[in-house]
Amino acid sequence: MAGVQTAVALREQGFAGTVTLIGAEPHPPYDRPPLSKAVLLGKAEGSAFDVDFAALGVTLELGREVTGVRPGDHELDTADGAVSYDVLVLATGAEPVRLPGADGVPGVHLLRTLDDAERLRPVLAEQRDVVVVGAGWIGAEFATAAREAGCRVTVVEAAERPLAGALPAEIAAPMAAWYADAGAQLRTHARVEHVEPGFVALDDGTRLPAGAVVVGIGARPATGWLAGSGIELGEHREVVADAGLRTSVADVYAVGDCSSFPSARYGERLLVHHWDNALQGPRTVAANIIGETPAVYDPVPYFWSEQFGRFVQYAGHHRAADTTVWRGDPAGAAWSVCWLREGALVAVLAVGKPRDLAQGRKLIEAGTVLDPELLADPARPLKSAAS
């Protein structure tokens, strides 16, 4: 998404120079969200972007892995030889964290690429017993698809609740019940001791039958290939970009999952592993490459997840909030949570309440101060709580 949208944005903003898009995968560029839904369930064969690259004058170099970059020479290294550039945009995304000791074990899967999804389709079609390691966003989405396909599903999570790294305990706690409601078993405080063909062994001695194991324990920026380049990396091994998405070296930008950026809105550096970031950031990159109207990147982060029959949306960044306001009963089908900092809305989580999300996102962008008492009434439109 980030690489394709950068190429598209360059053309839309009037860039007339050569644009080359290099990717290690052999497939035409594709969208990732359908991989855990329609593609996985066999309802779609793929999710290629509807972009006419030839008409845009964009050259695709597919199946070509870049192994290094030499900024001083303005060259990339590949197995097929060096590639020179005037301006380079890093859009390598993230790669899934692997389960230690599980590499090479038959039946162990990741879900990040089109090939991953295609390998998993027979697992669902054959309704095998599935063990999902990790109750984060991707684990919940895969468990949802597997239950829809008729598989028996057990989700093991080392933390005490789902989404432990993404949401506060009191917010994520009600989501634990969604698993049982969908017929999936959720085991928390459960650590994988080892995986063998047909079984997952937990550290408490439990052996879970597993016709397939799907690992969803997080992702990290795909930046190992930048070793020795001199491009600054952050604490999560992400490319450190400035407010214009420039890296620490000249003529190199970074966008999407592989990079972090400073947010004046939130007063900290953000590393956002979500689709909307890969959609929005390229417009800033393109504007700064062209240079006529320099742009600053400081979005309200946004993402969504479809799981267990619920549409979950989140906008903002809640870490620095000082007040939490619930709107509705979290045991119900539709509810939301708002986070305030010094009275201003900084984040909103909406479950089955897209209007709260849409209004909240605009209020966050505007830095609007809200009345917590009015906000707590779920019958009132969220925007009516503006004080």
Side-chain angles (χ1 to χ4, degrees):
M1 170 61 86
V4 167
Q5 290 299 323
T6 300
V8 170
L10 283 165
R11 291 302 190 221
E12 287 180 345
Q13 295 181 31
F15 182 75
T18 299
V19 178
T20 303
L21 190 59
I22 303 177
E25 291 186 64
H27 310 290
Y30 60 87
D31 206 7
R32 292 193 191 278
L35 299 184
S36 61
K37 305 172 185 71
V39 174
L40 186 61
L41 288 167
K43 297 177 180 179
E45 287 305 310
S47 56
F49 289 114
D50 185 17
V51 175
D52 189 335
F53 293 101
L56 283 176
V58 173
T59 300
L60 294 181
E61 295 276 356
L62 304 178
R64 188 171 190 181
E65 184 174 2
V66 177
T67 56
V69 57
R70 290 172 282 112
D73 297 327
H74 277 59
E75 285 188 339
L76 297 169
D77 292 319
T78 78
D80 300 320
V83 178
S84 62
Y85 65 85
D86 294 318
V87 176
L88 175 65
V89 179
L90 308 177
T92 49
E95 55 196 6
V97 175
R98 296 178 178 274
L99 185 66
D103 278 355
V105 177
V108 176
H109 299 263
L110 300 168
L111 180 51
R112 181 75 184 183
T113 68
L114 179 59
D115 289 340
D116 291 337
E118 290 181 345
R119 280 189 288 266
L120 277 165
R121 278 164 68 162
V123 170
L124 272 58
E126 295 164 14
Q127 299 185 335
R128 300 182 201 170
D129 291 348
V130 176
V131 173
V132 180
V133 182
W137 300 113
I138 194 65
E141 290 185 4
F142 178 81
T144 298
R147 285 298 301 140
E148 184 176 335
C151 298
R152 287 193 294 183
V153 178
T154 302
V155 180
V156 297
E157 169 58 53
E160 72 279 6
R161 63 184 189 277
L163 297 168
L167 294 173
E170 69 274 16
I171 310 299
M175 298 177 177
W178 297 357
Y179 289 78
D181 290 346
Q185 183 182 13
L186 173 65
R187 298 180 66 118
T188 55
H189 297 286
R191 293 188 177 275
V192 175
E193 179 72 29
H194 68 273
V195 179
E196 56 188 273
F199 287 93
V200 173
L202 304 182
D203 62 357
D204 65 358
T206 303
R207 284 166 59 88
L208 300 173
V213 179
V214 178
V215 179
I217 55 176
R220 59 168 62 97
T223 57
W225 67 284
L226 295 173
S229 69
I231 295 172
E232 182 185 355
L233 301 182
E235 61 175 313
H236 301 289
R237 307 300 295 167
E238 86 283 7
V239 179
V240 174
D242 68 9
L245 301 182
R246 302 172 189 85
T247 72
S248 62
V249 304
D251 301 324
V252 180
Y253 294 77
V255 66
D257 291 6
C258 71
S259 66
S260 64
F261 57 89
S263 171
R265 185 191 309 276
Y266 291 106
E268 61 182 286
R269 179 166 287 275
L270 299 183
L271 174 60
V272 180
H273 279 191
H274 293 296
W275 184 92
D276 193 64
N277 181 48
L279 174 68
Q280 305 292 345
R283 297 167 188 162
T284 298
V285 170
N288 289 328
I289 288 173
I290 295 169
E292 294 175 1
T293 53
V296 168
Y297 190 59
D298 195 5
V300 173
Y302 166 72
F303 72 90
W304 78 95
S305 177
E306 297 175 64
Q307 51 185 268
F308 308 118
R310 295 166 173 84
F311 188 41
V312 184
Q313 296 171 283
Y314 177 98
H317 183 65
H318 65 265
R319 190 174 299 166
D322 52 41
T323 304
T324 304
V325 180
W326 289 82
R327 288 172 54 81
D329 181 0
W335 49 276
S336 60
V337 180
C338 296
W339 287 271
L340 308 177
R341 184 179 65 207
E342 298 177 356
L345 187 67
V346 293
V348 58
L349 172 78
V351 177
K353 298 194 74 169
R355 183 173 298 178
D356 274 13
L357 189 287
Q359 293 182 7
R361 194 175 183 181
K362 293 177 180 177
L363 294 169
I364 295 168
E365 289 173 348
T368 305
V369 173
L370 303 181
D371 182 322
E373 289 190 15
L374 297 178
L375 188 61
D377 181 358
R380 297 180 62 103
L382 194 151
K383 63 183 179 182
S384 72
S387 57

